[in-house]
Amino acid sequence: MTSAISQPSASDALNELIAVVARLRDPHGGCPWDLEQTHASLVPYVLEEAHEVADAIRHGDDAHLAEELGDLLLQVLLHAQIASEQGRFDLSQIASGISAKLVRRHPHVFADAQAADSAAVKASWEAIKQAELAERNASQAPSASPLSDRLASKVRGQAALAGAMTISKKAAAAGFEWDDMAGVWAKVHEELDELKEAVASGDRAHAQEELGDVLFTLVNVARWCGIDPEAGLAGTNRRFLDRFARVEAALGGDLTGRSISELEGHWRTAKAQIRAEAVGNGEPLS
């Protein structure tokens, strides 16, 4: 009989990965690329890996998700290694800090507090978080804009679209809200008109500002309708790529020199094919 190959424990596997990252950052024989990295240079990779984790979750692909979570974990270890080399903090401090935070913010699990449902848990979490913030800020002068300060801190690590939704929800909860959906649509049209004017003016900086205003207002539309703008845009990206791949295939992979009318024709054909396939498979139309 052959015995099954035993898998390393989580701690053994993590220790091995920590050793690999340390070797990559070893000044004597490490990887030149890894040695050049800083916290700042790694920011795009952290964001990219986080988005790829989200994409794997949306697709329900466990193998892909495990791989992408590994890539994200690598980013955490790289940042810990860089900080450790500079004597600022290390992975043990990161782990101890988040463990202590979880225990502190879950008194219904680790102490005698009660939380009947997830809504109660969220309320307790926010209350504890605000108490922690107040304690940290006790030595500072009171802020004249406490909600804005909290929001700025909350959204600084979020993607722009997610940050816009966070700001929109918190501002609305504080009373900064339209009376009805008609007011939201009116704002959308107002911002669209301003974007058109900015684009026509040729002022790119102004056009970019106005584009941001349009997108922010559309996030408010999403909030009013109870829909997720991030998931909506991710779905559009997938559908576009699916249709675009079919257009490319129909043209042998070469779009060079094709007229827009020809490309539009192939696009409509691809869209119709996908729709027919969805109907045949009993899938919801989109």
Side-chain angles (χ1 to χ4, degrees):
M1 294 178 61
T2 58
S3 60
I5 299 175
S6 61
Q7 294 294 319
S9 67
S11 59
D12 287 344
L14 183 57
N15 286 332
E16 181 181 1
L17 179 56
I18 292 170
V20 168
V21 172
R23 175 68 186 278
L24 291 172
R25 292 277 305 178
D26 186 344
H28 307 290
C31 171
W33 185 89
D34 287 277
L35 285 166
E36 290 176 357
Q37 301 314 304
T38 65
H39 292 305
S41 71
L42 289 171
V43 166
Y45 301 100
V46 173
L47 297 174
E48 178 181 339
E49 300 303 349
H51 285 301
E52 290 181 356
V53 166
D55 184 68
I57 291 171
R58 293 190 193 100
H59 282 85
D61 185 334
D62 281 352
H64 188 203
L65 177 57
E67 178 184 355
E68 297 302 343
L69 285 170
D71 291 343
L72 186 58
L73 177 58
L74 170 59
Q75 294 301 311
V76 174
L77 295 184
L78 278 170
H79 282 283
Q81 178 66 28
I82 291 169
S84 177
E85 292 166 1
Q86 299 168 0
R88 292 159 44 226
F89 60 83
D90 58 21
L91 185 61
S92 65
Q93 289 171 275
I94 295 172
S96 296
I98 188 60
S99 293
K101 181 189 289 186
L102 289 171
V103 170
R104 189 168 63 247
R105 294 188 183 178
H106 289 81
H108 53 288
V109 175
F110 299 101
D112 298 327
Q114 300 294 317
D117 50 34
S118 60
V121 172
K122 289 181 180 179
S124 173
W125 178 284
E126 285 298 326
I128 294 170
K129 186 176 179 179
Q130 292 310 314
E132 293 170 355
L133 182 62
E135 184 177 348
R136 285 198 300 269
N137 295 337
S139 61
Q140 301 177 2
S143 172
S145 53
L147 177 58
S148 296
D149 291 344
R150 290 198 301 272
L151 282 173
S153 175
K154 187 175 182 66
V155 306
R156 67 185 181 186
Q158 294 182 326
L161 199 59
M165 180 60 87
T166 297
I167 293 169
S168 176
K169 286 179 177 178
K170 295 294 185 181
F176 198 70
E177 179 67 295
W178 286 276
D179 292 329
D180 52 37
M181 189 69 189
V184 187
W185 284 123
K187 189 65 175 177
V188 169
H189 293 298
E190 174 189 330
E191 297 296 352
L192 275 172
D193 288 340
E194 292 179 1
L195 174 59
K196 291 176 184 177
E197 292 176 5
V199 170
S201 74
D203 186 336
R204 293 184 62 183
H206 185 203
Q208 181 164 301
E209 290 178 1
E210 296 299 341
L211 175 61
D213 290 347
V214 170
L215 293 173
F216 188 86
T217 309
L218 288 174
V219 166
N220 278 285
V221 171
R223 176 176 58 79
W224 268 76
C225 298
I227 54 182
D228 182 350
E230 182 70 28
L233 185 56
T236 295
N237 289 344
R238 290 194 299 272
R239 289 191 297 275
F240 181 93
L241 289 174
D242 192 1
R243 296 166 188 171
F244 191 73
R246 292 175 186 241
V247 171
E248 283 189 297
L251 296 173
D254 184 10
L255 276 62
T256 306
R258 311 286 183 170
S259 68
I260 187 62
S261 60
E262 181 182 2
L263 294 174
E264 280 286 351
H266 286 291
W267 180 268
R268 288 191 293 271
T269 299
K271 187 174 180 179
Q273 289 173 345
I274 295 170
R275 185 182 182 88
E277 291 167 7
V279 170
N281 294 330
E283 299 173 4
L285 298 178
S286 59

